[in-house]
Each structure stands twice: as C-alpha cells, then as structure tokens.
Amino acid sequence: MSSLSTIKVQCSAVGCSNRAARQHGVAVPQRRRQPSRRLQAAASTAAAAALATRAEPSTIKIVKLDRKLERAQQAVLDAIQDVQGRGKGGMTPKQQQQFDEAVAVLEADGGVQAPTASPLLDGRWRLLFTTRPGTASPIQRTFTAVDSFSVYQDIQLADPRQEARISQVVDFGPSVGFLRVEAEANTDSRPLPGFTPRSGKGLPFGILGVSSTDPPARANMRADFQFDRAAFSFKALPFRVPYPVPFKLLGDERKGWLDITYLSPDGKLRLSRGNKGTLFVLAKDVPRRDQLLEALARRGAARDDEQIEQLAEEVQASGGGVARPAASPLAVGKWRLVWTRQGQTANPLQKALADQVENFQIISEDGRLENLVCLAPGVRVRAAAAAGPEEADTRTRVDIDAVTLELGPLALPLPIKTDGRGFVEWLYLDEGLRITRGNKGSVFIHTRDE
C-alpha cells in the first residue's frame, strides 16, 4: 500500500459504493487525416469545452454529436488546416468548396437553437479562421492575419449576476503581453438598458469597413455590442497602457453585432458572422486542467493513457496549484483515485487492482492518513498510516501502522509483512484535483470525493 499520499488521516468509517469505477464516456470524433500542429492544439482544447471551470469526472455531461454535424465539423477543420494567417492564404479551390459546403450544413442546422441564451456560449474562444471580405475592418484583418499572435474572444452573457460583456483579446506571447478590447453586450435575453443598435453602414468610402443593417434570422442568435474600454497589458510594465481610441466619441462606429450561426451541441465549435460580413470559426479554449478531467472521464477504448499522462505533466507545469501542497489544508478530505500509472517496482497486488476497484484516500488534520480499497460490496481493505510533510512541504512521509480487512461488520487485522515506510511526492494540488508520485515511482491522479 505504498500508494498512500498526503498528510493526515481520518479513521472513521468511509462508505464505498457497490459499483466499481463510475462509468462516463465521451464521444470523440475520428479525424480522417492528421491536422497541422496549430489546429491540432486548438481542436484538443476544444475537446473539453463542455466542462465547467471546476467540473470533476463524475459531473461531466456527455453529449453525442449527430453524425451529420460531426462530419461537417471535421470537414471545416480539415479544410482550414493548411491556411496561413487564419484565412489570409493557403486554401486550395477544393478546400474552399469543402469548407463552404460544410459551413452551409452547420449553419442550416444551427446547433444550439438559442445560442446567446445558452451557457455553452460563455467562456474563452480561440479564433481558428476568418474570411476576409472587402467590407471587413482593416484593423481586424491586420491583427487576425498574424500567426504569431493568438486571438481570442471572451464571452460573458449567461450569469445574470455579472455584466453582459464581449471582449476581444490579442495575445502577443507570454514574454510580451496582450491587448484586451472590451464591449458591453446586448441580447434578447440580456437587454442592455438604453442601448440602440447600430443603424448605419459606416464611415464614407468604407474606411473602417461596411456594416450590414440586416436583422437577425431568428431570436436569441445575435449579440449587439458597443466597445467602451481597452488597454495593453505588457509583462515589462506594472500598469496597463490605455488603447488610444476614444470609443465614446465614435458613435455608431464603436457598435457592431455578432450572429451565432452555429454553436455545436457540445459547446466545442462555433461559427459566427459579424456585421461587416466576416465569418469566424472558433473553438472553445479550455485550461489544461479541464482537458485532463475530460480525458479522465472517458472509459474503455476511448481512454488514452498517453494523453492523460501528457496533460497531467502540462497541468503540473502550469503552476496553478498551491505552493506548499504537503502542508496545505486543501489536502485534507476524501479523495477518489481516478487514474494511475504504476511504477516498475510497485506492489504486485496494487498493480493488479489498478483501475479495477474503487480506491479512496482519506486525509485529516490529526497527522493520519488512510487508504480505503473497495474490493466488492461489503469487502474493504483499510491501510492506516502516520504521515507528515517534509522536503519543503512538497513531500509527505508515510508510515503504515495498521492494515484491516473488513467483511461487512467484521474487521480483521492483517499483518504488515513489509516495511510500511515510504513517501508521497506532491506534483499538483488544488481544491478538487491532485497529482502525486509514490516512492516506488507510481503516479496517481485523485479528485476530491464529496
């Protein structure tokens, strides 16, 4: 039982469910061909879009795409995989035809029928591709054409406790900083008091593009907006630099609208058309932590252990966990083992039972920890240990001092035949997820079990 991890134990009875690991399953579309590295990364982040910011595997809602929509979505991604500048060039006539036909299929369906009223629309979206009609804004064409920049759209519409806003973000890279241009939003379900939609086509000669005045095709698909503030945030400066545009003096030119012409039922892919005729293809941008949880929720052949291991390493590298996990109060509680990669020298029984039975770890504030393995209904094994932080609070020492076999109400002590001493190295910890490595090289991923 060297898989013990963390600080302190609670020896009170802890119930096990009568089933083994919970069954989840997430449908994953099969690609016909391998996309470019840039689109592959974008599609990978999109794959977790249905997750809440702190959703755990047991709360993930499974959404299965219609095969027709699945094929059309994949056709869009295939068609744009070789383009440069997010649509500036690189698409062949055949790819253009494939793209146009697939977009027509998706927009005819619409996906989520009231997208601006759906919580699936909220969050950060990464721009994958945009068309470049002559009516588009020259400023927009300039920023979106630079591949070295990442372009995002942040949408905040669903929560009535928060101001409805749409923001455009241009990320110049981690060593430089970003530009954030923010706007107030107006939708059918979240009307902005006193707001009047844009009415004109724009400045003479189309200096800043030509705007359409067409009404939306249906209710709850259009988000009107008006820009009201913007600033640069540079890594080298402790303050923000105002964007030099006086939005309130621009009148109609600070206003626009966005029609959500397709929002996938799983919240992963979006097509939008702007008031200046531009079509945008965007994928939901999701933190690596939530991508990891989505990957953990898969079962059977759909589960990819190599992907899980890679995502776990990226979560660790993100630096988002607590700084001193072994001494953190977040470590206390009941944790469910959801994935493990067993080390070569791990206990043979531990290897055999990995992913086959329910396995918990219970941590308390009194310097104890406990592993609870549910072998069958009413049959449990408990291994209790003294534990405490060491190594700058990134490692927990473990000393197993009691192992018990429980058969219903009976508790039978078992001999400890090997040295029960070991340690757990903390790789990542937050309020609902932890990644650890045992002294025999096994890696464990746990989620908090309420």
Side-chain angles (χ1 to χ4, degrees):
M1 292 291 177
S2 60
S3 64
L4 301 173
S5 32
T6 315
I7 27 193
K8 313 148 190 174
V9 170
Q10 172 180 313
C11 290
S12 60
V14 179
C16 299
S17 69
N18 291 339
R19 50 201 170 109
R22 296 173 181 167
Q23 300 300 309
H24 304 293
V26 175
V28 181
Q30 297 298 314
R31 293 180 180 271
R32 291 193 296 274
R33 57 177 172 162
Q34 190 71 13
S36 66
R37 187 172 296 178
R38 176 172 60 84
L39 278 177
Q40 189 174 24
S44 176
T45 60
L51 295 176
T53 303
R54 281 294 181 256
E56 308 305 338
S58 59
T59 65
I60 295 173
K61 183 178 180 180
I62 302 166
V63 178
K64 185 173 179 61
L65 283 181
D66 176 90
R67 286 292 296 168
K68 183 179 180 181
L69 295 182
E70 183 181 318
R71 288 194 295 269
Q73 287 189 178
Q74 190 59 55
V76 167
L77 294 176
D78 286 345
I80 65 177
Q81 67 176 347
D82 295 322
V83 301
Q84 290 89 43
R86 300 181 187 86
K88 186 177 181 180
M91 186 180 287
T92 67
K94 183 178 180 180
Q95 289 172 324
Q96 184 68 59
Q97 181 181 359
Q98 174 184 331
F99 176 80
D100 292 341
E101 291 174 353
V103 166
V105 169
L106 296 176
E107 292 190 323
D109 182 275
V112 176
Q113 293 303 299
T116 59
S118 171
L120 289 176
L121 185 61
D122 273 23
R124 169 159 287 194
W125 293 84
R126 178 188 291 269
L127 180 65
L128 303 182
F129 176 87
T130 177
T131 57
R132 299 174 183 280
T135 54
S137 163
I139 299 175
Q140 174 182 292
R141 290 199 299 265
T142 299
F143 275 112
T144 59
V146 182
D147 280 330
S148 59
F149 300 164
S150 296
V151 181
Y152 302 96
Q153 187 172 78
D154 292 344
I155 297 182
Q156 179 180 292
L157 298 176
D159 191 344
R161 298 169 298 179
Q162 296 180 315
E163 184 181 7
R165 299 192 72 81
I166 296 176
S167 301
Q168 319 298 332
V169 180
V170 180
D171 191 338
F172 305 114
S175 62
V176 180
F178 61 90
L179 167 65
R180 184 179 185 86
V181 184
E182 301 186 41
E184 298 174 294
N186 175 79
T187 67
D188 291 334
S189 58
R190 294 286 307 276
L192 179 65
F195 177 80
T196 56
R198 179 174 184 137
S199 58
K201 291 187 177 182
L203 296 176
F205 310 110
I207 296 174
L208 294 179
V210 180
S211 180
S212 169
T213 57
D214 293 339
R218 64 180 187 274
N220 291 306
M221 73 172 294
R222 175 168 292 183
D224 293 285
F225 58 83
Q226 60 183 15
F227 293 112
D228 61 350
R229 59 179 183 246
F232 291 94
S233 294
F234 294 114
K235 297 293 184 182
L237 298 177
F239 54 85
R240 293 185 298 174
V241 178
Y243 188 61
V245 175
F247 291 115
K248 293 186 177 180
L249 301 179
L250 295 180
D252 254 14
E253 285 304 313
R254 73 175 180 133
K255 297 180 181 180
W257 51 257
L258 198 64
D259 281 350
I260 314 302
T261 55
Y262 177 76
L263 176 62
S264 64
D266 55 10
K268 299 177 182 179
L269 188 73
R270 171 163 66 95
L271 304 182
S272 296
R273 292 186 181 269
N275 58 291
K276 295 183 179 178
T278 305
L279 169 66
F280 304 95
V281 180
L282 307 99
K284 183 67 74 70
D285 194 75
V286 180
R288 287 291 189 266
R289 180 192 187 277
D290 292 343
Q291 292 183 53
L292 174 59
L293 291 175
E294 192 271 344
L296 289 167
R298 299 173 189 157
R299 288 294 182 266
R303 182 176 248 200
D304 187 336
D305 286 335
E306 289 186 5
Q307 180 195 31
I308 290 174
E309 189 165 7
Q310 179 181 342
L311 287 170
E313 291 174 356
E314 292 175 0
V315 168
Q316 298 166 41
S318 70
V322 298
R324 301 170 59 198
S328 172
L330 289 181
V332 175
K334 180 182 176 185
W335 295 88
R336 175 186 289 270
L337 180 66
V338 293
W339 184 85
T340 178
R341 178 181 57 74
Q342 294 294 307
Q344 292 183 351
T345 60
N347 183 293
L349 180 60
Q350 179 176 293
K351 288 184 177 181
L353 295 179
D355 298 324
Q356 302 299 315
V357 297
E358 286 191 316
N359 193 319
F360 299 91
Q361 191 166 93
I362 304 99
I363 301 166
S364 71
E365 299 176 353
D366 60 2
R368 302 284 297 172
L369 82 75
E370 176 183 85
N371 262 18
L372 175 62
V373 181
C374 303
L375 301 175
V379 181
R380 301 180 290 264
V381 175
R382 294 180 188 270
E390 59 181 17
E391 296 281 338
D393 295 332
T394 61
R395 179 182 289 186
T396 296
R397 67 179 185 278
V398 177
D399 190 357
I400 300 174
D401 52 26
V403 179
T404 304
L405 172 64
E406 297 179 356
L407 302 173
L410 300 178
L412 307 175
L414 298 178
I416 303 176
K417 297 182 179 180
T418 60
D419 186 355
R421 291 175 295 179
F423 66 82
V424 169
E425 181 182 1
W426 290 83
L427 306 177
Y428 179 88
L429 171 68
D430 64 28
E431 64 269 24
L433 177 72
R434 62 179 243 206
I435 305 171
T436 56
R437 181 185 293 115
N439 57 288
K440 293 186 177 180
S442 299
V443 176
F444 306 93
I445 301 178
H446 291 77
T447 55
R448 191 177 297 280
D449 192 87
E450 301 298 342

